[in-house]
Amino acid sequence: MEFENLHQILRSLYDEMIPMSENMAAVAKGIAGLGALFYVSYKVWGALARAEQIDVFPLLRPFVIGICIMFFPTIVLGTLNTVLSPIVKGTHGMLDTQVIDMRKLQEQKDILEREAMLRDPERSHWVSDEELDKKIEELGWSPSDLMTMSTLYLDRQGYKMRQDIKEWFRELMETLFHAAALAVDTIRTFFLIVLSILGPIAFAISVWDGFQSTLTQWFTRYTSIYLWLPVADLFSAMLAKIQTLMLQRDIALLNDPSFIPDPQNTTYIIFFVIGIVGYFTVPTVTGWIIQASGAGNFTRNVTQAGTRAANVAGAATGASAGNILGKLKKEVYK
């Protein structure tokens, strides 16, 4: 199964469904128009009621949002994707470079490992038919030789069985590893499609007074989710680099004629397990990169305002208490 083709299908799906956001533009225009009417009326009426000059600049906000709604796929999505796509391409290029290096080193390690096994007289017949035939030719037909012959065949079949099971398990873990990456990319594509199609509605709602944070939250979520793929590629590149370093260490050991490899080495499989678990931390890590002011700042501002109000009230209360005590002293001395 070519997982890269599946990732390409998801990207094509996103490009195919982006034009559907134009269908929401008609509804969003009505919501934004009504919100702009109330917004401008409220601002103008408030300025007139306070006998102040009308500030025109804040009144331009609904009209700018309306223009963004009218040309949403081009102005909003086109600009964001153009800015963010180089990040995706850059991290994917890093991943491809690491994977190519890892594959070359893996092929080199397999050759050196076979050569190292051939140097071991006790296990050379596990990997070579010629060595097995040579050992059998050296034996006779006595009962002890027949037992030795049976042991050679059993050792060879046991080694092949262990290698087959190890290879099957490694392929299984590799499939699950790629499936985890595909799951992250699928959820990312789904979220981006929803945000893209319903984006004009979010822009229209942000025109209404009191819902201005909707616009900021939409940009934050879209950017954060778009960066899921670069973060996942960086994580994969890190794992590939670790495996590359491990392969380089193994190759250095295998170049030593006295070194005999361990056929039970399962470190490669362990890193696949780590990768599967690590892929599902990608949304959390991306949330550390992109953050916007929201409830946290609002709560902090409310707390600061409450503290100031409490200080003012305390000062006023202290002043009132002082006045009352002063009056009591005057009455006592009278």
Side-chain angles (χ1 to χ4, degrees), residues 19-325:
M20 295 178 64
S21 60
E22 297 179 355
N23 299 332
M24 292 291 148
V27 180
K29 289 176 186 176
I31 298 174
L34 189 61
L37 177 62
F38 282 103
Y39 180 82
V40 173
S41 301
Y42 174 76
K43 295 294 183 181
V44 172
W45 175 79
L48 294 177
R50 293 188 297 269
E52 299 175 352
Q53 292 184 351
I54 299 175
D55 190 1
V56 179
F57 184 75
L59 302 181
L60 298 177
R61 182 176 183 274
F63 298 98
V64 174
I65 294 177
I67 294 174
C68 292
I69 293 173
M70 292 174 62
F71 305 99
F72 189 80
T74 304
I75 294 180
V76 180
L77 297 179
T79 303
L80 283 175
N81 294 341
T82 302
V83 172
L84 297 175
S85 59
I87 302 175
V88 176
K89 294 178 181 178
T91 54
H92 193 70
M94 295 170 57
L95 175 61
D96 288 341
T97 302
Q98 294 299 327
V99 170
I100 292 173
D101 293 341
M102 183 184 66
R103 288 175 179 172
K104 291 180 179 178
L105 292 173
Q106 184 65 48
E107 294 175 358
Q108 184 179 354
K109 179 192 172 183
D110 292 339
I111 296 173
L112 292 175
E113 189 172 9
R114 188 176 186 279
E115 293 176 353
M117 291 288 290
L118 290 174
R119 290 196 300 265
D120 185 7
E122 297 182 358
R123 295 186 292 182
S124 59
H125 62 281
W126 290 3
V127 296
S128 174
D129 294 335
E130 292 80 5
E131 292 294 329
L132 179 61
D133 294 337
K134 186 186 297 184
K135 288 181 178 294
I136 292 175
E137 290 176 358
E138 294 174 355
L139 298 174
W141 294 100
S142 64
S144 60
D145 292 335
L146 292 176
M147 288 294 296
T148 304
M149 192 182 304
S150 301
T151 303
L152 292 175
Y153 277 110
L154 289 175
D155 289 343
R156 180 181 174 85
Q157 293 302 320
Y159 173 77
K160 284 187 174 181
M161 184 178 297
R162 289 194 301 270
Q163 291 300 109
D164 291 340
I165 293 175
K166 182 179 176 181
E167 184 67 23
W168 174 82
F169 191 73
R170 188 174 72 174
E171 291 179 358
L172 175 63
M173 299 306 298
E174 187 173 357
T175 302
L176 292 177
F177 177 78
H178 290 296
L182 186 62
V184 172
D185 197 6
T186 303
I187 296 173
R188 167 185 176 270
T189 304
F190 169 69
F191 286 168
L192 289 180
I193 289 174
V194 172
L195 289 172
S196 299
I197 293 177
L198 298 180
I201 303 297
F203 273 58
I205 293 175
S206 67
V207 174
W208 292 76
D209 197 16
F211 295 92
Q212 289 88 348
S213 62
T214 303
L215 186 62
T216 305
Q217 293 298 325
W218 186 91
F219 276 107
T220 303
R221 292 192 178 98
Y222 187 91
T223 306
S224 177
I225 294 172
Y226 198 97
L227 292 178
W228 281 15
L229 188 58
V231 172
D233 286 342
L234 285 176
F235 180 71
S236 300
M238 182 195 71
L239 290 179
K241 184 62 176 180
I242 292 174
Q243 293 175 11
T244 300
L245 295 175
M246 293 174 59
L247 290 171
Q248 290 175 348
R249 185 204 62 180
D250 293 340
I251 290 172
L253 293 174
L254 290 170
N255 285 324
D256 184 5
S258 61
F259 177 75
I260 303 300
D262 182 12
Q264 303 295 332
N265 188 10
T266 58
T267 309
Y268 187 74
I269 298 175
I270 293 174
F271 271 100
F272 274 128
V273 177
I274 296 173
I276 293 170
V277 177
Y279 261 123
F280 294 101
T281 65
V282 168
T284 303
V285 176
T286 310
W288 298 343
I289 302 172
I290 301 295
Q291 291 183 353
S293 59
N297 287 341
F298 175 76
T299 304
R300 184 169 59 252
N301 293 335
V302 170
T303 303
Q304 292 175 355
T307 303
R308 288 195 297 268
N311 293 335
V312 172
T317 303
S320 300
N323 293 333
I324 293 173
L325 289 175

